[in-house]
């Protein structure tokens, strides 16, 4: 199989996955919420306005027509109007997705930047007390629920020492004309430190442990013996020879993690009042804002799938040993 | 020693696990938590849903900053207090009497009764009258107390009319005139006579006594004339307490924040607007225009000359009496009150939450849901994942394509948001929570098992079985499956941990099984109540428990990894 056919096949697979997910989503919502506009009664809409909303989503039509309408709308990026925001859903969702991604990517990069060298170092000190401690701490943060570590972090650094703000992305009120305008400020950095740290600590364990384990395998290889025989320093052997060859499984794990990053960490967003997509889904479903919930989920899934695809393609470029199966 | 082959086969991995110290610790901790879940009702000292109340002889003192809780006077509620010529006396439930001279320490006095004491008054010669339930009437001073025989009645309050005679009122509209020297009563006819409870009595500036009771009832008793007449003070609410200053300023307090004030002996009764509508149980007014009222749920209001201001509400204690001696102002209570947000104590090891429920019992019971969802969810996940992996890996071809494409699709679904939508669309219940936890997680297991099966199916023993005529099912489940079993157990352990966190997450977001107690749910309550910023005893234990449980499972899984992957063994 050539590279080109592989790429085409992979893209088609991604589109197919997205279609299946959209279909599942559609039927799940129709099963769970037979009349989504029922929530609008509490919003104070009269029967006429409700009928207009029903027409917009084609709720009077037979199920298969509704389904087709849903698919065409989704392809055109037309997701209707949010019940609670009274604004086009797509605008809200894209902004929230950006907020989620910046949090998740920063945390993942941080986790891997610390975890990989730490894992290599632990493998070097294998069997020592440091090694045991390192494994213990890594697994501990992996086992602690993030909403709890987040709450404790807020208590200590936000409420107790009042070093960091406890919620939101920026101090209110602020004016920013665009997404990047909002991000590139010290104030944003200040707000981001705690949530990024909490997510990073959670992710830290897996690159660290994977790195440590593969390093241990690499130590048994002949070229390490060779390096030792040449009289190289232990430190050089560790970082220049062993670590490079142990990176592959870590990169695989990184790919999977980034692939799922768009799913975000709903609880961290909730605890830190981070205006991300996960928190938006939670709010949307709580307020029965079905256009928003449906679109948020679909766009999130689309992003997860595209990231997976992107990472897969990059991966085949990085590691020639991976055959185009 | 001869063991059956199956047991002998199991011994090897078990020995490997026992060699790993962390795994042994993990197994011990998990054992403790499983025991906790099994014996939860036995282990928890309280019902986790029960709203706990306690009684306490609470004393609040006023200082520059406000009203502050002082050391309690015993475990029994304090009902009334009075003060005259440097001598103070407090009475309370179950025959409680405390006295002090000046502003010294309170001393408990033994009196020959266990009845609840409701009212107290002192006369000019320092003699006290104490009345209470079961027709209890006590006369005395410091050490010499004497019980006056009286008919059965719930007596609420008493006041000295002169050095010798006292007026006693009761819950069944009793008005008794007591001659202290002779020890005899005269029953006074009430002008109403319908059995209304009379709650409080005070001596007015002109020497008559003013009695207040339920439904705004006010009766004036004139000793000279010997008559009781109705008085209008302009309220129809239940009146609980009356206080009259020596020069005639008076304050009557009652239910639903009733405050009726009279500025001087000749003034008119005025009903003041109250800043709170909870029941007021005690009032005090001075001739210099200062006044204070106290009531249920620790409410204290002060008169600032123009209006009543709330000065204290944070205490949950019910205040029943006020004692004002110069600048020393005390508010006394407290009958049974809900022990909200109390820090860890001997009775409540992990403190209580905002509804006064015992947090230790909640944490103990929380282990049940965590382990139930953890193990049930993980079993379901491993069951689905292993079978899909086995079938896909063994049959290859179209079956594999379909199954593995399904797995690929599932990798496109973000886990947490999907669980949220599922739970919210189909109402939270235990089944939905377990489904939400397990519906997506099997994707990893399926992939792992499949890749293992792919290599196993090419091995000679599988070919031999096929040649011997074994059916596909037999090869899959009797020949290949035992070889992936270590991997299955490893995945089971990891997913137990993942499921426990997932359940805690859903419960934390308020989407857990309703009416159930879980660790995530405790943290949800803490966050929702807003008290989590101060009540550390509420936040810490559930998180630590989740972490310990999941950590112990991870430790066990690490040693299973050694069993599943022999390459790891060599470098230990």
């Amino acid at each position: 199989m050539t590279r080109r056919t592989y790429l085409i096949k992979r893209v088609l697979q991604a589109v197919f996955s997205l279609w299946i997910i959209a279909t599942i989503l559609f039927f799940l919502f129709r099963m769970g919420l037979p009349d989504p506009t029922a929530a609008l009664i509490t919003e104070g809409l009269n029967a006429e306005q409700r009928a207009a909303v029903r027409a917009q989503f084609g709720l009077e039509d037979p199920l298969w027509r509704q389904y087709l309408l849903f698919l065409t709308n989704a392809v055109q990026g037309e997701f209707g109007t949010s019940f609670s925001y009274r604004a086009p859903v797509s605008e809200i969702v894209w902004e929230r997705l950006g907020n989620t991604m910046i949090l998740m990517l920063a945390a993942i990069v941080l986790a891997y930047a610390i975890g990989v060298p730490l894992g290599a170092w632990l493998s070097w000190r294998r069997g020592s007390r440091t090694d045991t401690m390192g494994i213990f701490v890594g697994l501990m943060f992996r086992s602690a629920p993030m909403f709890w570590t987040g709450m404790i972090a807020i208590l200590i650094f936000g409420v107790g020492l009042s070093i960091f703000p406890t919620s939101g992305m920026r101090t209110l009120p602020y004016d920013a004309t665009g997404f990047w305008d909002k991000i590139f400020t010290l104030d944003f950095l200040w707000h981001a430190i705690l949530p990024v740290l909490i997510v990073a600590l959670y992710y830290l364990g897996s690159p660290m442990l994977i790195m440590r384990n593969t390093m241990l395998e690499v130590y048994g290889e002949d070229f390490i013996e060779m390096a030792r025989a040449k009289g190289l320093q232990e430190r050089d052997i560790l970082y220049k020879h062993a670590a490079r060859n142990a990176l592959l499984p870590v990169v695989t794990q990184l790919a999977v993690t980034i692939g799922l990053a768009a799913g975000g960490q709903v609880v961290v967003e909730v605890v830190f009042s981070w205006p991300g997509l996960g928190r938006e889904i939670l709010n949307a479903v709580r307020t029965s804002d079905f256009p928003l919930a449906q679109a948020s989920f679909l766009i999130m899934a689309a992003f997860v799938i595209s990231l997976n695809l992107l990472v897969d393609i990059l991966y085949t470029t990085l590691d020639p040993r991976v055959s185009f199966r | 020693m001869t063991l059956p082959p199956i047991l002998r086969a199991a011994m090897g991995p078990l020995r490997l696990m026992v060699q790993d110290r962390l795994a042994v610790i993990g197994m011990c901790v998990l054992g403790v938590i499983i025991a906790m879940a099994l014996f939860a009702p036995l282990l928890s000292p309280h019902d986790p849903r029960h709203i706990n109340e306690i009684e306490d002889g609470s004393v609040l003192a006023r200082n520059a900053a406000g009203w502050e809780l002082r050391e309690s006077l015993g475990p029994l509620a304090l009902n009334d207090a009075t003060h005259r010529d440097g001598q103070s006396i407090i009475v309370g439930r179950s025959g409680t009497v405390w006295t002090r001279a000046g502003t010294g320490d309170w001393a408990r006095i033994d009196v020959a009764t266990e009845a609840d004491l409701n009212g107290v008054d002192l006369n000019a010669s320092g003699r006290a009258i104490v009345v209470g339930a079961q027709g209890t009437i006590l006369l005395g001073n410091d050490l010499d107390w004497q019980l006056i025989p009286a008919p059965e009645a719930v007596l609420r309050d008493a006041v000295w009319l002169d050095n010798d005679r006292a007026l006693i009122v009761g819950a069944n509209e009793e008005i008794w005139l007591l001659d202290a020297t002779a020890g005899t009563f005269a029953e006074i006819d009430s002008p109403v006579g319908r059995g209304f409870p009379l709650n409080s009595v005070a001596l007015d500036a002109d020497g008559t006594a003013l009695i207040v009771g339920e439904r705004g009832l006010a009766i004036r008793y004139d000793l000279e004339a010997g008559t009781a007449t109705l008085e209008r003070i302009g309220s129809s609410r239940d009146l609980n307490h009356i206080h009259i200053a020596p020069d005639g300023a008076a304050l009557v307090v009652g239910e639903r924040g009733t405050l009726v004030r009279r500025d001087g002996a000749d003034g008119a009764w005025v009903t003041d607007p109250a800043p709170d509508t909870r029941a007021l149980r005690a009032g005090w007014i001075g001739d210099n225009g200062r006044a204070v009222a106290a009531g249920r749920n620790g409410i204290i209001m002060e008169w600032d000359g123009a209006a009543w201001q709330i000065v204290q509400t944070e205490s949950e204690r019910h205040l029943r009496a006020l004692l004002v001696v110069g600048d020393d102002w005390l508010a006394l209570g407290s009958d049974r009150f809900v022990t909200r947000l109390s820090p860890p104590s001997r009775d409540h090891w992990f403190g209580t939450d905002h509804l006064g429920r015992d947090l230790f019992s909640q944490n103990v019971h929380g282990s049940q849901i965590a382990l139930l969802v953890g193990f049930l969810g993980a079993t379901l996940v491993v069951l689905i994942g292993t079978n899909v992996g086995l079938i896909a890996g063994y049959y290859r071809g179209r079956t594999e394509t379909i199954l593995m494409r399904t797995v690929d699709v599932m990798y496109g679904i973000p886990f947490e948001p999907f669980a949220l939508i599922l739970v919210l669309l189909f109402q939270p219940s235990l089944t939905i929570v377990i489904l939400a936890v397990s519906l997506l997680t099997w994707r990893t297991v399926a992939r792992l098992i499949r890749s293992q099966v792919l290599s196993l199916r090419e091995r000679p023993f599988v070919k031999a079985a096929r040649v011997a005529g074994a059916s596909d099912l037999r090869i899959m489940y009797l020949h290949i499956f035992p070889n992936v079993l270590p991997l299955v157990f490893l995945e089971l352990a990891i997913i137990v941990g993942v499921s426990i966190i997932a359940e805690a997450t859903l419960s934390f977001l308020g989407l857990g099984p309703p009416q159930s107690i879980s660790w995530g749910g405790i943290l949800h309550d803490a966050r929702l109540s807003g008290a989590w910023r101060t009540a550390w005893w509420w936040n810490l234990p559930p998180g630590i428990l989740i972490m310990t449980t999941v950590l112990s499972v991870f430790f066990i899984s690490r040693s299973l990894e050694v069993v599943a992957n022999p390459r790891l063994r060599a470098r230990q």
Side-chain angles (χ1 to χ4, degrees), chain B residues 92-353:
Chain B
R93 244 172 47 76
S94 286
T96 309
V97 179
W98 296 82
T99 61
R100 74 170 181 188
T103 51
D105 286 336
W106 291 99
R108 173 89 196 254
I109 302 287
D110 275 329
V111 291
T113 178
E114 287 292 306
D116 297 345
L117 305 179
N118 295 327
V120 61
D121 197 31
L122 284 165
N123 68 8
S125 56
R127 199 163 191 212
I129 179 166
V130 176
V131 297
Q134 297 155 32
T136 307
I137 302 172
L138 284 161
L139 287 175
N141 47 35
D142 268 354
L143 295 168
D144 171 32
W145 290 86
Q146 155 194 18
L147 204 57
I148 308 275
E152 182 73 20
V154 178
L155 303 178
R156 288 278 167 80
D157 200 9
V159 71
W160 289 104
L161 298 174
D162 53 32
N163 242 350
D164 219 26
R165 280 173 293 182
L167 197 66
I168 299 169
V169 298
N172 198 22
E173 220 175 317
E174 291 95 347
I175 307 175
W176 296 348
L177 183 65
L178 174 74
D179 188 327
T181 337
T184 54
F185 300 101
E187 282 194 32
I188 314 275
D189 283 335
S190 163
V192 184
R194 286 168 60 191
F196 283 165
L198 301 176
N199 290 330
S200 183
V201 58
L203 194 65
D204 209 346
D206 60 4
T208 61
L210 195 54
I211 304 165
V212 294
E214 268 180 27
R215 302 204 207 166
L217 185 62
I219 298 168
R220 185 176 292 281
Y221 174 70
D222 189 341
L223 182 62
E224 305 298 320
T227 54
T229 49
L230 266 183
E231 170 117 352
R232 299 226 161 265
I233 64 165
S235 172
S236 56
R237 298 251 171 81
D238 293 350
L239 304 175
N240 289 328
H241 189 241
I242 179 167
H243 179 259
I244 303 175
D247 289 343
L251 177 67
V252 176
V253 298
E255 297 296 309
R256 296 181 57 88
T258 304
L259 289 157
V260 187
R261 202 165 39 85
R262 187 184 74 181
D263 270 339
D266 304 323
W269 292 98
V270 184
T271 302
D272 289 325
D276 193 285
T277 55
R278 270 171 285 187
L280 296 172
R281 303 303 294 262
W284 180 89
I285 191 163
D287 286 317
N288 51 2
R290 300 181 76 180
V292 58
R296 285 183 72 82
N297 298 98
I299 202 157
I300 297 179
M301 303 170 185
E302 283 176 19
W303 175 253
D304 68 357
W308 288 92
Q309 306 290 349
I310 288 199
V311 287
Q312 155 100 24
T313 49
E314 66 255 38
S315 168
E316 292 303 329
R317 287 149 210 268
H318 301 310
L319 302 174
R320 302 202 66 140
L322 286 160
L323 181 65
V324 176
V325 182
D327 284 336
D328 189 28
W329 292 27
L330 300 178
L332 310 164
S334 158
D335 31 332
R336 296 182 71 79
F337 63 98
V338 177
T339 46
R340 284 169 218 275
L341 294 176
S342 86
S345 63
R346 203 152 40 123
D347 199 29
H348 302 288
W349 298 335
F350 287 1
T352 58
D353 68 2

Side-chain angles (χ1 to χ4, degrees), chain B residues 404-465:
Chain B
M404 287 310 133
R405 279 304 143 267
T406 316
V407 171
D408 284 345
V409 169
M410 306 205 81
Y411 267 95
I413 303 177
F415 171 66
E416 272 181 28
F418 180 73
L420 288 189
I421 286 190
L422 205 63
V423 170
L424 278 156
L425 283 180
F426 296 99
Q427 302 310 318
S429 73
L430 193 62
T431 327
I432 279 293
V433 167
I434 292 177
L435 267 184
V437 166
S438 48
L439 218 51
L440 283 184
T441 334
W442 61 268
R443 55 192 182 190
T444 352
V445 185
R447 269 194 184 174
L448 268 171
I449 300 287
R450 170 183 157 270
S451 62
Q452 191 87 345
V453 173
L454 279 183
S455 78
L456 281 171
R457 74 189 294 271
E458 307 300 334
R459 296 274 184 85
F461 71 90
V462 175
K463 288 188 175 141

Side-chain angles (χ1 to χ4, degrees), chain B residues 277-566:
Chain B
T277 55
R278 270 171 285 187
L280 296 172
R281 303 303 294 262
W284 180 89
I285 191 163
D287 286 317
N288 51 2
R290 300 181 76 180
V292 58
R296 285 183 72 82
N297 298 98
I299 202 157
I300 297 179
M301 303 170 185
E302 283 176 19
W303 175 253
D304 68 357
W308 288 92
Q309 306 290 349
I310 288 199
V311 287
Q312 155 100 24
T313 49
E314 66 255 38
S315 168
E316 292 303 329
R317 287 149 210 268
H318 301 310
L319 302 174
R320 302 202 66 140
L322 286 160
L323 181 65
V324 176
V325 182
D327 284 336
D328 189 28
W329 292 27
L330 300 178
L332 310 164
S334 158
D335 31 332
R336 296 182 71 79
F337 63 98
V338 177
T339 46
R340 284 169 218 275
L341 294 176
S342 86
S345 63
R346 203 152 40 123
D347 199 29
H348 302 288
W349 298 335
F350 287 1
T352 58
D353 68 2
H354 63 315
L355 296 176
R357 296 175 301 191
D358 183 54
L359 282 170
F360 178 76
S361 309
Q362 285 193 33
N363 278 299
V364 168
H365 276 83
S367 60
Q368 291 180 330
I369 288 281
L371 292 184
L372 188 69
V373 175
F375 281 98
L376 224 57
T379 313
L380 201 62
V381 165
V382 170
L383 212 65
I384 302 173
T386 309
N387 281 303
V388 169
L390 265 177
I391 293 168
Y394 183 76
Y395 284 113
R396 316 272 334 241
R398 184 164 295 168
T399 322
E400 186 192 17
T401 317
I402 294 174
L403 287 176
M404 287 310 133
R405 279 304 143 267
T406 316
V407 171
D408 284 345
V409 169
M410 306 205 81
Y411 267 95
I413 303 177
F415 171 66
E416 272 181 28
F418 180 73
L420 288 189
I421 286 190
L422 205 63
V423 170
L424 278 156
L425 283 180
F426 296 99
Q427 302 310 318
S429 73
L430 193 62
T431 327
I432 279 293
V433 167
I434 292 177
L435 267 184
V437 166
S438 48
L439 218 51
L440 283 184
T441 334
W442 61 268
R443 55 192 182 190
T444 352
V445 185
R447 269 194 184 174
L448 268 171
I449 300 287
R450 170 183 157 270
S451 62
Q452 191 87 345
V453 173
L454 279 183
S455 78
L456 281 171
R457 74 189 294 271
E458 307 300 334
R459 296 274 184 85
F461 71 90
V462 175
K463 288 188 175 141
R466 206 171 288 147
V467 169
S471 68
D472 285 345
L473 278 181
R474 193 180 169 85
I475 297 175
M476 270 160 59
Y477 288 99
L478 281 181
H479 296 271
I480 297 180
F481 179 67
N483 286 288
V484 293
L485 208 54
L487 194 63
V488 169
F489 275 115
L490 168 64
E491 283 302 304
L492 184 71
I494 292 174
I495 288 171
V496 167
V498 171
S499 309
I500 291 175
I501 293 192
E503 186 275 329
T505 303
L506 285 178
S507 298
F508 172 73
L509 295 173
L511 305 172
Q515 306 303 318
S516 71
I517 299 160
S518 73
W519 293 330
I522 298 174
L523 288 166
H524 170 72
D525 287 348
R527 208 180 123 75
L528 210 65
S529 78
W532 65 282
R533 281 163 187 259
T534 44
W536 53 268
W537 59 88
W538 201 352
N539 293 328
L540 282 182
I544 292 174
L545 279 168
I546 297 172
M547 191 167 76
T548 324
T549 312
V550 178
L551 199 58
S552 68
V553 174
F554 279 170
F555 282 160
I556 297 170
S557 78
R558 257 175 55 82
S559 70
L560 284 172
E561 211 172 352
V562 178
V563 179
N565 185 357

Side-chain angles (χ1 to χ4, degrees), chain A residues 74-219:
Chain A
V75 169
Q76 291 167 350
E78 172 58 53
F79 294 106
T81 312
S82 158
F83 288 173
S84 45
Y85 287 90
R86 304 281 168 86
V89 164
S90 42
E91 271 175 37
I92 303 166
V93 170
W94 286 115
E95 198 219 323
R96 302 288 191 271
L97 182 65
N99 296 343
T100 292
M101 287 311 289
I102 198 120
L103 170 70
M104 293 302 287
L105 288 182
I108 292 172
V109 167
L110 189 68
Y112 277 74
I114 299 171
V116 170
L118 206 62
W121 185 63
L122 286 183
S123 73
W124 189 40
R125 306 279 312 264
R126 63 189 165 281
S128 71
R129 189 162 289 177
T130 330
D131 185 31
T132 320
M133 270 312 283
I135 294 172
F136 185 81
V137 172
L139 281 177
M140 202 175 80
F141 279 111
R142 187 92 205 166
S143 322
M146 267 185 283
F147 55 85
W148 182 67
T149 43
M151 277 164 87
I152 300 294
I154 289 179
L155 273 188
I156 296 174
F157 298 105
V159 179
L161 303 172
S162 41
I163 316 177
F164 294 111
T166 56
S167 70
M169 284 178 82
R170 291 287 303 269
T171 313
L172 297 170
Y174 68 92
D175 40 49
T177 44
F179 181 68
W180 298 110
D181 196 23
K182 183 174 70 185
I183 301 301
F184 286 116
T185 55
L186 270 181
D187 185 43
F188 170 78
L189 194 66
W190 213 230
H191 280 75
I193 286 179
L194 272 192
V196 166
L197 215 59
I198 291 299
V199 181
L201 278 174
Y202 177 76
Y203 280 123
L204 183 69
S206 62
M208 192 180 85
L209 291 178
I210 291 173
M211 189 66 189
R212 176 186 170 275
N213 285 356
T214 19
M215 285 290 277
L216 289 181
E217 275 173 32
V218 171
Y219 283 149

Side-chain angles (χ1 to χ4, degrees), chain A residues 27-95:
Chain A
F27 286 104
L28 213 56
F29 266 87
R30 284 303 170 279
M31 256 162 66
L33 275 183
D35 182 11
T37 54
L40 286 171
I41 301 172
T42 50
E43 292 278 320
L45 289 194
N46 58 31
E48 211 170 288
Q49 286 163 310
R50 255 180 86 187
V53 176
R54 289 181 71 84
Q56 189 192 350
F57 291 102
L59 292 175
E60 311 293 350
D61 297 339
L63 202 62
W64 65 272
R65 300 255 327 238
Q66 288 184 37
Y67 175 60
L68 282 184
L69 182 69
F70 167 73
L71 281 188
T72 19
N73 281 347
V75 169
Q76 291 167 350
E78 172 58 53
F79 294 106
T81 312
S82 158
F83 288 173
S84 45
Y85 287 90
R86 304 281 168 86
V89 164
S90 42
E91 271 175 37
I92 303 166
V93 170
W94 286 115
E95 198 219 323

